[in-house]
Amino acid sequence: MEDDPLLCLACGRTHAGSERFCAECGTPLVHEYGEEHVPSERQRVARKIKPQYTNGPLVELLRAGNQPQAEFIANLLLEEGIPCMIRNPLAGYSLTGEHIIVVPESAVQAAREALALERPES
């Protein structure tokens, strides 16, 4: 599957099967030929991520009070194309306790705006 050529629907260029985004315009790539491919959950999530938000080291964005709250925030960010990770300082999956949301450095401002963490100036 990785050897199958991929196509950019925005500019029409073809790319190697190992690439995810068009080098020219940043659009997610799709399979050019073959049967209809039903993406896995992981592929579906990856296609939502905007490449401009994937640069730099991971930095702490905020702390959530529990796992469900952290997952809710992560899903809100994903809908805006912002990748994130949930870290539990106690290690492992826990419904209670503090969870840290981290994002790539290039996504910090967009994430703050998406979650309205900064008040607009009056």
Side-chain angles (χ1 to χ4, degrees):
M1 189 83 148
E2 198 169 291
D3 295 332
D4 294 341
L6 295 174
L7 176 70
C8 174
L9 294 178
C11 66
R13 290 182 171 81
T14 57
H15 299 275
S18 60
E19 297 184 36
R20 288 185 22 203
F21 299 99
C22 178
E24 292 296 317
C25 65
T27 301
L29 301 173
V30 297
H31 287 278
E32 184 176 16
Y33 305 111
E35 300 175 19
E36 184 175 335
H37 173 69
V38 178
S40 68
E41 179 64 17
R42 186 174 175 183
Q43 289 170 325
R44 187 188 65 75
V45 168
R47 295 266 184 223
K48 289 184 173 187
I49 294 172
K50 295 179 180 175
Q52 68 265 32
Y53 297 143
T54 61
N55 300 316
L58 294 176
V59 296
E60 182 178 327
L61 178 67
L62 59 86
R63 293 175 182 250
N66 54 50
Q67 183 76 27
Q69 183 182 38
E71 289 177 4
F72 179 75
I73 293 167
N75 286 328
L76 287 175
L77 292 173
L78 181 61
E79 288 304 314
E80 296 297 321
I82 302 168
C84 74
M85 288 179 58
I86 302 170
R87 292 187 176 163
N88 181 342
L90 301 175
Y93 184 89
S94 170
L95 288 176
T96 60
E98 193 171 70
H99 291 71
I100 301 168
I101 309 293
V102 294
V103 297
E105 191 174 53
S106 63
V108 170
Q109 186 60 37
R112 289 183 183 279
E113 291 171 5
L115 298 174
L117 295 177
E118 296 177 354
R119 291 192 173 116
E121 294 182 22
S122 302

